């Protein structure tokens, strides 16, 4: 059982069978996380580099836990503490990694396409942990795993991604992955934050959260990236919350409970009200646990195709 | 691949399961603290059958679980073949201080058993682990032996033992086949 590609650069054009294999394998790893000793010797002797050009806490910790629980040896590069801040080029960094006989590279970079570039110059398996506004495939896979765990299947499931689609790599990966698995995907957010022509990907676009809520099974609420709002895409945080905030009052308009996902970290009472984030229909903390299992599955499946 | 002989037929497998079950009860002087764990894939079905047999003999349920040793294999990083599909370990009870009867279909090099032993000690600290197999075909590469054996079958390396079980293969039969 292997994937069709040696790398996981994004979910664009990744076949249904591959996504299925990752999600199926993740269940086995989730069982490992329930054991008294949460570790298996599967990747003993493999060396993995975590190359983070952009700051990250949860994705990096999740990857690191997944790697340790598979018994891999790991090395962490953070842009702020390495020679990258001394002016070394990306290509030279990559070549140095290659010279150190690394088996796999997990990369996060502020530029779209960086992981793909890396995959062309190094021999190791490359996993994209987020590149610019492009893709964040492992996040989308853990979202899909969490939805499948809750609903049994993704086929026909109605999922709406709410918020800042323009700056979001999570949204794009989710759109590709969910569409491949047969889900119905819609988007909702201010017109300034929804890329033009994104409906060509086969998604329905809404600009009023009230129009979405009666017609979905799950909402994947994106974080409003406060650090990227210099462009003035909406007048104020308060106004965003008033128009697009996912609140209990709005959710109560639906006939049945709606499952709430969020990639974290949450801005409480901005995109999501605090009581909804902590409600029984929120699967936000399951997403965190599933993230480790899904990343273990990806590492396991890619580790063979050397 | 040609079939050289039928090592066991349906009746033969049934009788072996009955005898193994009696031996397990006898050696452990009952079923106190006894649990059965089958090695997936075919060990799972043999474990279920032994558990049912013991239940009939002792009129009490015996915990039964299943182990997938894939993540503990010693050849994952060295062989160039595809990684095996993960089938998942399903053990819903604590094995600490229990007498574990590990069940597999064929004992050959002993490497699967080694992997299962390593996984079991990661899951808890059993009082003891005993190994029950339907067929022991020899050619051990590790110092491992079975406590309960359905049948010893001398084989050459070019031969293979195929265990077919109703639950997944549609019939009960053990075949000696030539793969050379």
């Amino acid at each position: 059982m292997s994937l069709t590609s040696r790398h996981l650069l994004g979910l664009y054009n990744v076949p249904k069978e591959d996504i299925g294999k990752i999600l199926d394998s993740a269940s086995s790893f989730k069982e490992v996380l329930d054991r008294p000793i949460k570790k298996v010797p599967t990747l003993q002797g493999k060396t993995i580099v975590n190359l983070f050009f952009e700051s990250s806490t949860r994705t990096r910790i999740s990857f690191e836990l997944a790697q340790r629980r598979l018994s891999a040896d790991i090395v962490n590069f953070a842009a702020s503490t390495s020679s990258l801040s001394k002016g070394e080029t990306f290509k030279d960094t990559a070549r140095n990694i290659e010279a150190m006989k690394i088996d796999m590279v997990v990369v996060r970079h502020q530029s779209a396409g960086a992981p793909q570039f890396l995959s062309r110059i190094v021999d190791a398996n490359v996993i994209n942990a987020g590149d610019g506004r492009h893709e964040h495939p492992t996040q989308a896979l853990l979202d899909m795993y969490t939805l499948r765990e809750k609903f049994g299947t993704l086929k026909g499931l109605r999922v709406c991604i709410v918020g800042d689609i323009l700056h979001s790599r999570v949204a794009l990966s989710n759109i590709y992955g969910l569409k491949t698995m047969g889900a119905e995907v819609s988007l909702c957010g201010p017109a300034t934050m929804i890329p033009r022509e994104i409906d060509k990907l086969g998604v329905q676009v809404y600009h009023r959260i009230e129009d979405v809520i009666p017609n979905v099974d799950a909402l994947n609420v994106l974080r409003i990236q406060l650090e990227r709002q210099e462009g003035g895409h909406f007048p104020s945080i308060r106004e965003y919350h008033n128009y697009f905030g996912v609140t209990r009052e709005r959710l109560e308009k639906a006939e049945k409970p709606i499952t709430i996902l969020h990639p974290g970290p949450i801005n409480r009472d901005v995109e999501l009200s605090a009581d909804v984030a902590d409600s029984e229909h929120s699967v936000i903390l399951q997403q965190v646990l599933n993230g480790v299992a899904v990343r273990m599955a990806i590492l396991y499946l890619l580790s063979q195709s050397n | 691949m040609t079939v050289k002989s039928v090592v066991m037929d349906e009746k033969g497998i049934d009788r072996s399961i009955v005898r193994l079950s009696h031996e397990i009860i006898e050696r452990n002087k009952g079923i106190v603290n006894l649990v059965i764990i089958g090695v997936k894939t075919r060990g799972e079905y043999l474990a279920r059958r032994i558990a049912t047999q013991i239940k009939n003999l002792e009129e009490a349920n015996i915990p039964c679980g299943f182990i997938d040793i894939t993540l503990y294999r010693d050849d994952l990083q060295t062989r160039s073949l595809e990684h095996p599909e993960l089938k998942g370990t399903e053990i819903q009870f604590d094995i600490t201080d229990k007498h574990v009867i590990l069940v597999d279909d064929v004992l050959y090099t002993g490497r699967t058993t080694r992997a299962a032993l390593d996984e079991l000690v990661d899951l808890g600290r059993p009082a003891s682990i005993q190994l029950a197999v339907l067929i022991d075909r020899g050619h051990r590469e590790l110092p491992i032996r079975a406590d309960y054996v359905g049948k010893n079958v001398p084989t050459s390396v070019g031969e293979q033992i195929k265990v077919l079980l109703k639950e997944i293969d549609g019939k009960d039969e053990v075949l000696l086949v030539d793969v050379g």
Side-chain angles (χ1 to χ4, degrees):
Chain A
M1 190 171 73
S2 61
L3 303 178
T4 44
S5 168
R6 303 182 54 234
H7 309 290
L8 181 67
L9 304 174
L11 293 185
Y12 177 68
N13 265 349
V14 171
K16 195 175 175 178
E17 294 69 34
D18 280 9
I19 294 177
K21 278 178 196 169
I22 293 170
L23 301 185
D24 290 343
S25 305
S27 305
S28 290
F29 289 107
K30 201 168 170 185
E31 180 267 320
V32 171
L33 299 178
D34 270 338
R35 296 182 184 180
I37 295 176
K38 300 168 182 53
K39 187 165 181 149
V40 287
T42 316
L43 292 190
Q44 225 161 50
K46 290 270 178 187
T47 310
I48 307 178
V49 171
N50 295 313
L51 196 58
F52 280 70
F53 291 86
E54 212 181 50
S55 70
S56 157
T57 309
R58 68 192 62 215
T59 303
R60 191 176 52 76
I61 289 176
S62 179
F63 263 113
E64 213 175 305
L65 264 180
Q67 293 154 358
R68 288 182 192 278
R69 288 184 169 168
L70 289 169
S71 306
D73 295 316
I74 61 177
V75 187
N76 291 321
F77 272 80
S80 50
T81 57
S82 69
S83 297
L84 300 165
S85 54
K86 296 178 187 166
E88 189 181 46
T89 65
F90 183 54
K91 200 168 183 175
D92 281 335
T93 306
R95 288 208 169 119
N96 275 280
I97 291 167
E98 184 74 354
M100 287 187 264
K101 306 256 181 254
I102 300 295
D103 298 298
M104 300 176 109
V105 184
V106 175
V107 60
R108 165 168 289 195
H109 200 281
Q110 59 278 13
S111 303
Q116 182 163 30
F117 176 73
L118 194 63
S119 74
R120 276 189 261 132
I121 47 178
V122 302
D123 206 30
N125 308 100
V126 176
I127 299 173
N128 180 2
D131 59 333
R133 299 180 189 180
H134 180 224
E135 284 221 45
H136 191 353
T138 61
Q139 176 70 44
L141 287 164
L142 77 89
D143 292 346
M144 288 155 70
Y145 181 86
T146 307
L147 285 169
R148 201 179 76 163
E149 188 175 57
K150 174 103 187 175
F151 293 95
T153 177
L154 295 170
K155 199 168 179 353
L157 196 69
R158 298 166 305 167
V159 183
C160 180
I161 306 170
V162 185
D164 182 358
I165 311 296
L166 184 65
H167 292 103
S168 175
R169 51 196 175 209
V170 177
L172 197 58
S173 289
N174 260 293
I175 293 170
Y176 291 141
L178 285 167
K179 294 287 294 177
T180 303
M181 299 310 280
E184 286 175 36
V185 186
S186 54
L187 307 174
C188 179
T192 49
M193 297 181 123
I194 295 197
R196 278 182 204 186
E197 311 212 7
I198 195 146
D199 53 314
K200 299 244 165 82
L201 296 177
V203 295
Q204 193 81 28
V205 176
Y206 295 91
H207 297 296
R208 276 169 47 88
I209 188 85
E210 292 83 356
D211 295 342
V212 169
I213 284 174
N215 301 312
V216 291
D217 302 302
L219 291 177
N220 196 344
V221 185
L222 300 177
R223 185 173 74 93
I224 286 298
Q225 305 186 39
L226 300 169
E227 69 278 12
R228 289 191 184 164
Q229 294 315 326
E230 70 291 339
H233 295 287
F234 53 83
S236 73
I237 297 290
R238 199 170 132 195
E239 178 148 330
Y240 181 85
H241 182 71
N242 285 342
Y243 280 92
F244 293 98
V246 175
T247 60
R248 181 174 295 273
E249 301 76 64
R250 286 189 165 131
L251 290 175
E252 275 166 0
K253 300 261 161 54
E255 281 175 25
K256 57 184 172 60
I258 294 175
T259 298
I260 305 294
L261 293 93
H262 191 297
I266 308 171
N267 298 310
R268 280 179 184 258
D269 297 321
V270 180
E271 66 266 8
L272 198 58
S273 68
D275 54 348
V276 174
D278 301 330
S279 78
E280 70 209 279
H281 303 300
S282 148
V283 290
I284 297 170
L285 293 176
Q286 278 97 299
Q287 285 175 274
V288 178
L289 173 65
N290 292 340
V292 179
V294 166
R295 290 182 172 107
M296 285 170 85
I298 293 162
L299 292 165
Y300 169 72
L301 290 168
L302 287 180
S303 72
Q304 71 186 347
S305 39
N306 269 318
Chain B
M1 201 168 70
T2 51
V3 177
K4 290 175 100 172
S5 64
V6 177
V7 178
M8 270 186 184
D9 57 10
E10 188 179 335
K11 276 255 165 1
I13 293 176
D14 279 350
R15 287 188 197 112
S16 270
I17 299 282
V18 173
R19 180 173 54 79
L20 290 173
S21 305
H22 277 287
E23 283 180 13
I24 290 166
I25 299 167
E26 185 187 13
R27 171 106 49 111
N28 293 282
K29 299 184 177 69
I31 56 166
V32 177
N33 282 332
L34 209 61
V35 302
I36 297 197
I37 294 179
V39 179
K40 286 189 175 181
T41 308
R42 284 174 181 73
E44 169 178 349
Y45 305 108
L46 294 172
R48 285 183 196 275
R49 292 186 193 185
I50 290 174
T52 310
Q53 188 64 40
I54 291 178
K55 185 186 168 187
N56 292 341
L57 292 169
E58 294 287 303
E59 292 174 347
N61 273 320
I62 170 163
C64 190
F66 316 107
I67 194 167
D68 174 11
I69 57 101
T70 307
L71 298 172
Y72 284 75
R73 288 179 75 116
D74 58 9
D75 55 357
L76 278 179
Q77 304 306 334
T78 49
R79 59 180 209 160
S80 51
L81 295 169
E82 284 202 348
H83 277 9
E85 183 189 340
L86 299 178
K87 301 181 194 88
T89 290
E90 301 164 65
I91 299 175
Q92 314 293 350
F93 45 85
D94 186 3
I95 61 168
T96 297
D97 296 333
K98 297 289 193 297
H99 295 284
V100 174
I101 309 295
L102 186 65
V103 180
D104 205 356
D105 55 349
V106 180
L107 179 57
Y108 179 29
T109 60
R111 287 177 191 269
T112 303
T113 308
R114 193 281 309 163
L117 292 174
D118 280 352
E119 183 158 0
L120 284 176
V121 296
D122 278 358
L123 292 170
R125 187 179 183 279
S128 71
I129 302 177
Q130 302 159 33
L131 177 63
V133 297
L134 188 61
I135 303 289
D136 181 349
R137 62 166 291 193
H139 303 285
R140 217 74 78 238
E141 293 169 5
L142 296 170
I144 280 169
R145 56 149 184 81
D147 299 274
Y148 313 95
V149 180
K151 190 169 188 174
N152 281 296
V153 182
T155 58
S156 71
V157 177
E159 291 168 333
Q160 219 180 53
I161 295 285
K162 281 211 123 22
V163 174
L164 306 176
L165 296 175
K166 272 183 192 152
E167 291 89 334
I168 42 170
D169 307 303
K171 62 173 174 179
D172 277 357
E173 202 168 50
V174 180
L175 303 172
L176 179 65
V177 296
D178 209 333
V179 286

